[in-house]
Amino acid sequence: MPFKIAVVGIGKIAIDQHLPCIAKNKNFQLVAGVSRHATLDYVPCFDSLSALIKSKIKIDAVALCTPPSVRLAMAREALDAGYNVLIEKPPTPTIGEMVSMIDYTKKKKRVLYATWHSRYNRSVDEAKKRLKGKHVNFMRITWKEDVNKWHPGQNWIAEPGGFGVFDPGINALSVVTKILPDPIYVESSRIEVPENWSTPIGADIKFKRGDGKPVDMSASFDWRQRGEQIWDIKLATADGMKMKLSKGGTVLHVNGKLIMEAPMEEYQMIYKKFAKLLKAKKSETDYSPLQLECDAFMLAKPVVVGKFEWD
Ligand code: NAP
Protein backbone atom coordinates (compact mmCIF):
# COMPACT_ATOMS: atom_id res chain seq x y z
CA MET A 1 0.00 0.00 0.00
CA PRO A 2 1.46 3.39 -0.93
CA PHE A 3 1.94 6.02 1.77
CA LYS A 4 -0.82 8.62 1.57
CA ILE A 5 0.81 12.02 1.41
CA ALA A 6 -0.31 15.65 1.37
CA VAL A 7 1.80 18.57 0.16
CA VAL A 8 1.62 21.73 2.28
CA GLY A 9 2.54 25.07 0.62
CA ILE A 10 1.99 24.89 -3.10
CA GLY A 11 4.72 27.28 -4.24
CA LYS A 12 7.69 27.01 -6.61
CA ILE A 13 9.42 23.94 -5.20
CA ALA A 14 6.20 22.00 -4.59
CA ILE A 15 5.20 22.52 -8.23
CA ASP A 16 8.68 22.08 -9.77
CA GLN A 17 9.73 19.00 -7.78
CA HIS A 18 7.56 17.55 -4.99
CA LEU A 19 4.32 17.01 -6.91
CA PRO A 20 5.99 15.50 -10.03
CA CYS A 21 8.27 13.23 -7.94
CA ILE A 22 5.39 12.01 -5.75
CA ALA A 23 3.38 11.28 -8.91
CA LYS A 24 6.22 9.11 -10.26
CA ASN A 25 6.95 7.21 -7.04
CA LYS A 26 4.88 4.06 -6.48
CA ASN A 27 5.50 4.25 -2.73
CA PHE A 28 3.39 7.40 -2.47
CA GLN A 29 -0.11 8.50 -3.32
CA LEU A 30 -0.91 12.20 -3.23
CA VAL A 31 -4.24 12.51 -1.45
CA ALA A 32 -4.50 16.23 -0.64
CA GLY A 33 -2.95 19.66 -0.95
CA VAL A 34 -2.81 22.53 1.53
CA SER A 35 -2.55 26.03 0.16
CA ARG A 36 -3.87 29.46 1.03
CA HIS A 37 -4.01 30.35 -2.67
CA ALA A 38 -3.48 27.46 -5.07
CA THR A 39 -5.67 24.46 -5.86
CA LEU A 40 -4.86 21.15 -7.52
CA ASP A 41 -7.59 19.82 -9.76
CA TYR A 42 -6.87 16.12 -9.10
CA VAL A 43 -6.98 16.00 -5.26
CA PRO A 44 -8.92 17.88 -2.56
CA CYS A 45 -7.22 21.06 -1.35
CA PHE A 46 -7.56 22.79 2.01
CA ASP A 47 -6.63 26.33 2.97
CA SER A 48 -4.88 25.23 6.17
CA LEU A 49 -3.36 22.19 7.81
CA SER A 50 -6.10 22.37 10.48
CA ALA A 51 -8.76 22.10 7.76
CA LEU A 52 -6.99 19.05 6.29
CA ILE A 53 -6.85 17.41 9.73
CA LYS A 54 -10.54 18.15 10.36
CA SER A 55 -11.45 16.54 6.99
CA LYS A 56 -10.40 13.13 8.46
CA ILE A 57 -8.82 12.13 5.13
CA LYS A 58 -6.38 9.32 5.87
CA ILE A 59 -2.87 10.75 5.76
CA ASP A 60 0.43 9.00 6.50
CA ALA A 61 2.75 11.94 5.84
CA VAL A 62 2.92 15.58 4.90
CA ALA A 63 5.64 17.36 2.92
CA LEU A 64 6.08 20.87 4.33
CA CYS A 65 7.13 23.05 1.38
CA THR A 66 6.43 26.34 3.14
CA PRO A 67 9.16 28.80 4.18
CA PRO A 68 11.21 27.69 7.25
CA SER A 69 9.77 30.32 9.61
CA VAL A 70 6.36 28.59 9.85
CA ARG A 71 7.52 24.96 9.91
CA LEU A 72 7.81 24.23 13.63
CA ALA A 73 4.16 25.02 14.40
CA MET A 74 3.06 23.17 11.25
CA ALA A 75 5.21 20.14 12.04
CA ARG A 76 3.82 19.98 15.59
CA GLU A 77 0.24 20.22 14.32
CA ALA A 78 0.93 17.46 11.79
CA LEU A 79 2.64 15.26 14.39
CA ASP A 80 -0.28 15.82 16.81
CA ALA A 81 -2.55 14.51 14.07
CA GLY A 82 -0.39 11.37 13.82
CA TYR A 83 1.26 12.30 10.50
CA ASN A 84 4.91 11.73 9.63
CA VAL A 85 6.71 14.82 8.35
CA LEU A 86 9.12 15.68 5.54
CA ILE A 87 10.53 19.22 5.54
CA GLU A 88 12.23 21.29 2.86
CA LYS A 89 15.59 22.91 3.52
CA PRO A 90 16.60 25.01 5.44
CA PRO A 91 14.68 23.08 8.10
CA THR A 92 13.96 25.89 10.58
CA PRO A 93 15.14 29.47 11.13
CA THR A 94 17.04 28.57 14.32
CA ILE A 95 18.75 25.60 15.96
CA GLY A 96 16.38 26.00 18.92
CA GLU A 97 13.36 25.29 16.71
CA MET A 98 15.11 22.36 15.04
CA VAL A 99 15.99 20.69 18.32
CA SER A 100 12.44 21.26 19.51
CA MET A 101 11.02 19.70 16.32
CA ILE A 102 13.27 16.65 16.71
CA ASP A 103 12.25 16.22 20.36
CA TYR A 104 8.57 16.65 19.57
CA THR A 105 8.79 14.02 16.80
CA LYS A 106 10.43 11.55 19.20
CA LYS A 107 7.73 12.20 21.78
CA LYS A 108 5.05 11.51 19.17
CA LYS A 109 6.91 8.42 17.89
CA ARG A 110 6.72 9.58 14.28
CA VAL A 111 9.23 10.03 11.44
CA LEU A 112 10.82 13.40 10.68
CA TYR A 113 12.90 13.75 7.52
CA ALA A 114 14.87 16.97 7.18
CA THR A 115 15.82 16.99 3.50
CA TRP A 116 18.93 18.45 1.86
CA HIS A 117 18.32 18.07 -1.85
CA SER A 118 21.88 18.95 -2.98
CA ARG A 119 23.22 15.93 -1.09
CA TYR A 120 21.42 13.61 -3.51
CA ASN A 121 23.82 13.54 -6.43
CA ARG A 122 25.95 10.58 -7.46
CA SER A 123 28.93 12.92 -7.92
CA VAL A 124 28.57 14.01 -4.30
CA ASP A 125 28.68 10.37 -3.15
CA GLU A 126 31.76 9.76 -5.32
CA ALA A 127 33.46 12.86 -3.89
CA LYS A 128 32.78 11.62 -0.36
CA LYS A 129 34.28 8.23 -1.18
CA ARG A 130 37.45 9.80 -2.64
CA LEU A 131 37.93 12.14 0.34
CA LYS A 132 37.60 9.41 2.96
CA GLY A 133 40.56 9.37 5.34
CA LYS A 134 42.21 12.39 3.69
CA HIS A 135 43.29 15.69 5.20
CA VAL A 136 41.44 18.48 3.40
CA ASN A 137 43.32 21.76 3.68
CA PHE A 138 41.71 23.85 0.93
CA MET A 139 38.08 24.57 0.15
CA ARG A 140 36.59 27.31 -1.99
CA ILE A 141 32.80 27.41 -2.27
CA THR A 142 31.46 29.80 -4.92
CA TRP A 143 27.65 29.95 -4.91
CA LYS A 144 26.54 32.85 -7.11
CA GLU A 145 23.07 33.01 -8.57
CA ASP A 146 20.42 35.50 -9.64
CA VAL A 147 17.73 35.80 -6.97
CA ASN A 148 15.30 37.15 -9.58
CA LYS A 149 15.53 33.86 -11.46
CA TRP A 150 15.20 31.42 -8.56
CA HIS A 151 12.97 33.27 -6.08
CA PRO A 152 10.84 35.60 -8.18
CA GLY A 153 8.77 37.88 -5.95
CA GLN A 154 9.37 35.74 -2.81
CA ASN A 155 9.48 38.54 -0.24
CA TRP A 156 9.77 36.07 2.68
CA ILE A 157 13.44 35.51 1.81
CA ALA A 158 14.20 39.09 2.89
CA GLU A 159 12.34 38.83 6.20
CA PRO A 160 13.82 37.55 9.51
CA GLY A 161 14.01 33.76 9.28
CA GLY A 162 13.99 33.95 5.46
CA PHE A 163 17.76 33.32 5.26
CA GLY A 164 18.47 35.63 2.29
CA VAL A 165 21.42 34.31 0.27
CA PHE A 166 21.98 31.72 3.02
CA ASP A 167 18.91 29.95 1.54
CA PRO A 168 20.87 28.74 -1.54
CA GLY A 169 24.19 28.86 0.34
CA ILE A 170 22.98 26.16 2.71
CA ASN A 171 22.86 23.80 -0.28
CA ALA A 172 26.65 24.09 -0.65
CA LEU A 173 27.08 23.60 3.08
CA SER A 174 24.84 20.53 2.96
CA VAL A 175 27.24 19.05 0.39
CA VAL A 176 30.46 19.80 2.27
CA THR A 177 29.07 18.59 5.59
CA LYS A 178 28.33 15.31 3.81
CA ILE A 179 31.64 14.82 1.99
CA LEU A 180 34.32 16.26 4.28
CA PRO A 181 36.00 13.61 6.45
CA ASP A 182 36.28 16.05 9.39
CA PRO A 183 33.88 18.70 10.63
CA ILE A 184 34.60 22.37 9.90
CA TYR A 185 33.74 25.43 11.96
CA VAL A 186 33.11 29.08 11.15
CA GLU A 187 36.06 31.35 11.91
CA SER A 188 34.60 34.65 10.70
CA SER A 189 32.12 36.02 8.21
CA ARG A 190 31.03 39.19 6.48
CA ILE A 191 27.44 39.65 5.38
CA GLU A 192 26.00 42.28 3.06
CA VAL A 193 22.44 43.25 3.92
CA PRO A 194 20.42 45.50 1.58
CA GLU A 195 19.01 48.52 3.43
CA ASN A 196 15.43 47.31 2.74
CA TRP A 197 16.10 43.66 3.79
CA SER A 198 16.57 41.88 7.12
CA THR A 199 18.66 39.12 5.54
CA PRO A 200 21.95 39.08 3.57
CA ILE A 201 22.22 39.25 -0.21
CA GLY A 202 25.94 38.43 -0.11
CA ALA A 203 28.19 36.59 2.34
CA ASP A 204 31.84 35.62 2.70
CA ILE A 205 32.66 32.99 5.29
CA LYS A 206 36.03 31.72 6.50
CA PHE A 207 36.16 28.24 8.02
CA LYS A 208 38.61 26.47 10.29
CA ARG A 209 39.27 22.92 11.39
CA GLY A 210 38.80 21.77 14.95
CA ASP A 211 42.44 20.66 15.31
CA GLY A 212 43.80 24.18 14.72
CA LYS A 213 45.92 23.05 11.73
CA PRO A 214 46.24 25.83 9.12
CA VAL A 215 43.72 25.64 6.28
CA ASP A 216 42.43 27.88 3.50
CA MET A 217 38.70 27.23 3.49
CA SER A 218 36.05 29.75 2.55
CA ALA A 219 32.66 30.29 0.95
CA SER A 220 31.33 33.15 -1.10
CA PHE A 221 27.57 33.44 -1.60
CA ASP A 222 26.02 36.10 -3.84
CA TRP A 223 22.48 36.62 -5.08
CA ARG A 224 23.34 39.51 -7.43
CA GLN A 225 24.86 37.27 -10.11
CA ARG A 226 23.80 37.90 -13.71
CA GLY A 227 24.52 35.63 -16.67
CA GLU A 228 26.21 32.34 -15.80
CA GLN A 229 25.05 30.84 -12.49
CA ILE A 230 27.94 29.39 -10.46
CA TRP A 231 27.59 26.57 -7.92
CA ASP A 232 31.17 25.30 -7.47
CA ILE A 233 33.07 23.63 -4.66
CA LYS A 234 36.85 23.27 -5.04
CA LEU A 235 38.78 21.13 -2.59
CA ALA A 236 42.40 20.06 -2.14
CA THR A 237 43.98 17.54 0.18
CA ALA A 238 47.38 17.47 1.91
CA ASP A 239 48.48 14.57 -0.34
CA GLY A 240 47.91 16.65 -3.49
CA MET A 241 44.45 15.64 -4.74
CA LYS A 242 42.48 18.47 -6.34
CA MET A 243 38.72 18.09 -6.66
CA LYS A 244 36.00 20.22 -8.19
CA LEU A 245 32.28 19.67 -7.79
CA SER A 246 30.41 21.96 -10.16
CA LYS A 247 26.87 22.68 -11.33
CA GLY A 248 25.51 22.26 -7.82
CA GLY A 249 27.24 18.94 -7.19
CA THR A 250 26.30 17.12 -10.39
CA VAL A 251 29.73 17.27 -12.11
CA LEU A 252 32.91 15.93 -10.52
CA HIS A 253 36.48 16.58 -11.67
CA VAL A 254 39.50 15.12 -9.89
CA ASN A 255 43.00 16.41 -10.75
CA GLY A 256 41.52 18.10 -13.84
CA LYS A 257 39.90 14.89 -15.17
CA LEU A 258 36.12 14.55 -15.57
CA ILE A 259 35.05 11.68 -13.30
CA MET A 260 31.30 11.92 -13.39
CA GLU A 261 28.48 14.00 -14.82
CA ALA A 262 25.35 12.64 -13.21
CA PRO A 263 21.79 13.59 -14.17
CA MET A 264 19.85 15.70 -11.67
CA GLU A 265 17.69 13.27 -9.63
CA GLU A 266 17.70 15.03 -6.29
CA TYR A 267 14.00 14.97 -5.47
CA GLN A 268 13.47 11.49 -6.90
CA MET A 269 16.16 10.34 -4.45
CA ILE A 270 14.54 12.29 -1.61
CA TYR A 271 11.23 10.45 -2.04
CA LYS A 272 13.02 7.13 -2.44
CA LYS A 273 14.76 7.83 0.88
CA PHE A 274 11.55 9.03 2.56
CA ALA A 275 9.81 5.76 1.67
CA LYS A 276 12.73 3.85 3.23
CA LEU A 277 12.59 5.95 6.41
CA LEU A 278 8.82 5.52 6.71
CA LYS A 279 9.10 1.75 6.28
CA ALA A 280 11.85 1.57 8.90
CA LYS A 281 10.06 4.13 11.15
CA LYS A 282 13.36 6.06 11.33
CA SER A 283 13.95 9.80 11.33
CA GLU A 284 16.80 11.64 9.59
CA THR A 285 17.43 15.04 11.10
CA ASP A 286 21.03 16.11 10.50
CA TYR A 287 21.18 19.87 10.93
CA SER A 288 24.93 20.46 10.59
CA PRO A 289 24.48 22.79 7.54
CA LEU A 290 22.06 24.92 9.61
CA GLN A 291 24.55 24.96 12.49
CA LEU A 292 27.25 26.41 10.18
CA GLU A 293 24.88 29.10 8.91
CA CYS A 294 23.72 30.05 12.39
CA ASP A 295 27.39 30.33 13.40
CA ALA A 296 28.12 32.44 10.30
CA PHE A 297 25.33 34.81 11.37
CA MET A 298 26.62 34.81 14.95
CA LEU A 299 30.18 35.70 13.92
CA ALA A 300 29.26 38.05 11.10
CA LYS A 301 30.45 41.55 10.47
CA PRO A 302 27.32 43.05 8.88
CA VAL A 303 27.61 45.67 6.13
CA VAL A 304 24.55 47.55 4.88
CA VAL A 305 24.41 47.86 1.08
CA GLY A 306 22.04 49.62 -1.36
CA LYS A 307 18.32 48.95 -1.65
CA PHE A 308 17.36 45.77 -3.54
CA GLU A 309 14.70 46.06 -6.25
CA TRP A 310 13.20 43.00 -7.98
CA ASP A 311 13.55 42.99 -11.81
P1 NAP B 1 7.46 29.83 -2.52
O1 NAP B 1 7.34 29.72 -4.01
O2 NAP B 1 7.30 31.16 -1.88
O3 NAP B 1 6.45 28.78 -1.93
C1 NAP B 1 6.26 28.61 -0.55
C2 NAP B 1 4.80 28.37 -0.30
O4 NAP B 1 4.60 28.25 1.08
C3 NAP B 1 3.92 29.54 -0.76
O5 NAP B 1 3.49 29.38 -2.09
C4 NAP B 1 2.79 29.47 0.19
O6 NAP B 1 1.90 28.49 -0.31
C5 NAP B 1 3.35 28.85 1.45
N1 NAP B 1 3.58 29.89 2.45
C6 NAP B 1 4.33 31.00 2.33
N2 NAP B 1 4.30 31.71 3.46
C7 NAP B 1 3.50 31.03 4.31
C8 NAP B 1 3.06 31.27 5.63
N3 NAP B 1 3.44 32.34 6.29
N4 NAP B 1 2.24 30.37 6.19
C9 NAP B 1 1.85 29.29 5.50
N5 NAP B 1 2.23 29.02 4.24
C10 NAP B 1 3.05 29.87 3.66
O7 NAP B 1 8.87 29.27 -2.03
P2 NAP B 1 9.67 28.03 -2.62
O8 NAP B 1 10.70 28.51 -3.58
O9 NAP B 1 8.76 26.96 -3.05
O10 NAP B 1 10.50 27.64 -1.31
C11 NAP B 1 9.92 26.90 -0.25
C12 NAP B 1 11.02 26.13 0.44
O11 NAP B 1 11.61 25.27 -0.53
C13 NAP B 1 12.14 27.04 0.96
O12 NAP B 1 12.58 26.58 2.20
C14 NAP B 1 13.23 26.91 -0.09
O13 NAP B 1 14.52 27.06 0.45
C15 NAP B 1 13.01 25.48 -0.56
N6 NAP B 1 13.53 25.26 -1.92
C16 NAP B 1 13.24 26.13 -2.93
C17 NAP B 1 13.80 25.93 -4.19
C18 NAP B 1 13.52 26.86 -5.36
O14 NAP B 1 14.05 26.62 -6.46
N7 NAP B 1 12.72 27.90 -5.22
C19 NAP B 1 14.66 24.82 -4.40
C20 NAP B 1 14.88 23.94 -3.36
C21 NAP B 1 14.32 24.16 -2.12
P3 NAP B 1 0.37 28.75 -0.44
O15 NAP B 1 0.21 30.10 -1.07
O16 NAP B 1 0.05 27.62 -1.29
O17 NAP B 1 -0.19 28.68 0.94
Side-chain angles (χ1 to χ4, degrees):
M1 281 285 280
F3 295 109
K4 295 183 188 309
I5 190 164
V7 170
V8 183
I10 315 235
K12 187 171 185 310
I13 200 61
I15 290 164
D16 288 357
Q17 296 290 349
H18 290 264
L19 293 168
C21 288
I22 290 168
K24 282 192 217 127
N25 188 319
K26 288 193 178 69
N27 285 303
F28 292 97
Q29 180 193 1
L30 183 77
V31 289
V34 175
S35 171
R36 299 160 312 160
H37 307 104
T39 51
L40 301 168
D41 52 17
Y42 45 96
V43 286
C45 280
F46 301 86
D47 61 7
S48 67
L49 193 50
S50 319
L52 169 68
I53 293 165
K54 272 197 204 112
S55 77
K56 301 269 198 291
I57 291 180
K58 160 114 178 70
I59 304 279
D60 297 305
V62 283
L64 301 184
C65 303
T66 53
S69 58
V70 293
R71 290 211 193 108
L72 176 59
M74 281 186 166
R76 285 178 56 142
E77 193 179 3
L79 292 162
D80 285 343
Y83 305 164
N84 299 290
V85 176
L86 173 154
I87 53 176
E88 254 300 343
K89 48 62 55 170
T92 49
T94 63
I95 299 285
E97 288 190 26
M98 186 60 192
V99 170
S100 170
M101 198 188 289
I102 294 169
D103 289 347
Y104 205 81
T105 307
K106 279 186 192 147
K107 210 164 85 187
K108 295 286 169 179
K109 298 191 170 45
R110 288 291 176 272
V111 171
L112 174 63
Y113 178 25
T115 63
W116 299 105
H117 65 86
S118 297
R119 285 184 172 178
Y120 292 97
N121 278 301
R122 273 187 272 149
S123 300
V124 171
D125 291 329
E126 181 64 25
K128 182 180 168 74
K129 213 164 79 187
R130 289 177 183 245
L131 288 171
K132 195 172 175 206
K134 292 195 182 275
H135 179 95
V136 177
N137 55 12
F138 174 86
M139 179 180 82
R140 194 72 78 239
I141 296 173
T142 310
W143 227 250
K144 298 192 174 185
E145 58 174 57
D146 183 353
V147 63
N148 288 287
K149 191 171 164 149
W150 303 102
H151 295 269
Q154 294 178 8
N155 290 318
W156 61 265
I157 50 142
E159 289 162 10
F163 282 79
V165 76
F166 281 93
D167 177 280
I170 208 163
N171 297 335
L173 299 179
S174 74
V175 171
V176 298
T177 48
K178 175 171 177 174
I179 65 177
L180 289 177
D182 301 303
I184 52 169
Y185 304 90
V186 175
E187 183 165 277
S188 63
S189 77
R190 178 182 183 276
I191 56 174
E192 292 181 306
V193 182
E195 62 183 67
N196 56 336
W197 281 23
S198 297
T199 58
I201 196 159
D204 290 299
I205 311 169
K206 275 196 177 149
F207 299 94
K208 61 183 180 184
R209 290 173 54 103
D211 57 14
K213 289 189 179 148
V215 287
D216 177 3
M217 299 176 117
S218 67
S220 185
F221 304 155
D222 206 317
W223 245 349
R224 293 158 292 193
Q225 179 79 358
R226 299 294 190 173
E228 191 198 355
Q229 308 290 286
I230 306 172
W231 299 290
D232 286 351
I233 301 169
K234 290 182 182 163
L235 298 156
T237 60
D239 63 0
M241 182 172 75
K242 286 188 169 50
M243 178 179 273
K244 182 178 172 190
L245 269 169
S246 48
K247 299 194 178 168
T250 53
V251 182
L252 176 68
H253 284 85
V254 175
N255 296 332
K257 194 171 149 226
L258 176 67
I259 302 296
M260 198 176 271
E261 186 159 13
M264 190 68 102
E265 295 171 326
E266 296 175 350
Y267 282 83
Q268 289 92 319
M269 300 301 284
I270 280 178
Y271 277 94
K272 202 170 158 190
K273 178 73 177 274
F274 192 34
K276 253 190 185 169
L277 292 172
L278 288 171
K279 283 176 191 166
K281 297 189 173 25
K282 262 185 84 175
S283 290
E284 187 173 293
T285 56
D286 174 32
Y287 59 87
S288 52
L290 179 67
Q291 178 78 64
L292 284 176
E293 289 212 333
C294 288
D295 295 352
F297 270 105
M298 180 74 99
L299 300 173
K301 174 178 174 51
V303 176
V304 176
V305 295
K307 196 170 172 186
F308 173 82
E309 313 264 13
W310 292 103
D311 279 353

